[in-house]
Amino acid sequence: MQKFAKSADAISNLTAEQYRVTQQGATEAPGSGEHLYNEEPGIYVDIVSGEPLFASSDKFESGCGWPSFTKPIVPANVNELMDKSHGMVRTEVRSTHGDSHLGHVFDDGPEDRGGLRYCINSAALRFIHRDDMAAQGYGAYLDQVEERK
């Protein structure tokens, strides 16, 4: 079983934007993230710890400007915390093992898929294509990713 953890080495390899988002709780500009329009099959993992977070099967276009997902792959890998910043109350989403700021979760997602919208910063994610999942140690999650048609 893989172990996931935040390390000084992983932090030192982050770009300035990835550091700003994951370590300082910032938000990337809407429409700017590299994963927003990705339609390839695979999973998204925490860029810091590598813990699996979201599957392409649960990704949808919400029109919000950030990648949106209906649920996490492993709910225990995602912490939800109250966020009272910017004059509003929201629910912040952080990775459990990497403690990376990922984004926020809202209750305006597709009703037929549970009603949640995890609005996630691309800068917090690393995408692993379905074809590479087993080789990179994520074979246990292949059943959560649709095959490319």
Side-chain angles (χ1 to χ4, degrees):
M1 184 168 176
Q2 282 183 286
K3 297 280 185 187
F4 304 105
K6 182 178 189 171
S7 70
D9 188 46
I11 299 299
S12 69
N13 287 317
L14 296 175
T15 67
E17 179 74 345
Q18 290 166 337
Y19 185 88
R20 195 176 72 80
V21 168
T22 63
Q23 305 306 298
Q24 297 176 328
T27 300
E28 64 195 7
S32 69
E34 69 175 304
H35 301 303
L36 179 58
Y37 299 110
N38 181 18
E39 295 182 10
E40 293 294 314
I43 63 170
Y44 296 85
V45 302
D46 179 359
I47 196 142
V48 171
S49 68
E51 65 199 281
L53 299 170
F54 301 99
S56 58
S57 305
D58 298 310
K59 189 172 186 269
F60 69 100
E61 175 53 54
S62 69
C64 72
W66 293 273
S68 296
F69 303 89
T70 57
K71 65 181 182 189
I73 293 174
V74 179
N77 287 350
V78 176
N79 285 326
E80 297 180 7
L81 308 165
M82 185 181 296
D83 176 2
K84 293 184 178 181
S85 65
H86 305 291
M88 62 184 107
V89 177
R90 302 178 291 175
T91 302
E92 178 188 14
V93 180
R94 298 186 73 84
S95 63
T96 299
H97 303 285
D99 193 32
S100 297
H101 169 74
L102 304 172
H104 292 85
V105 61
F106 302 95
D107 62 4
D108 61 356
E111 286 297 321
D112 64 334
R113 294 171 71 188
L116 296 178
R117 173 175 56 96
Y118 286 82
C119 184
I120 307 297
N121 291 285
S122 287
L125 303 173
R126 179 170 67 94
F127 178 72
I128 302 171
H129 194 281
R130 187 180 203 288
D131 295 345
D132 301 323
M133 287 172 57
Q136 292 190 34
Y138 297 97
Y141 305 101
L142 281 166
D143 64 344
Q144 295 193 43
V145 178
E146 74 286 350
E147 290 193 48
R148 190 173 186 186
K149 297 178 181 172

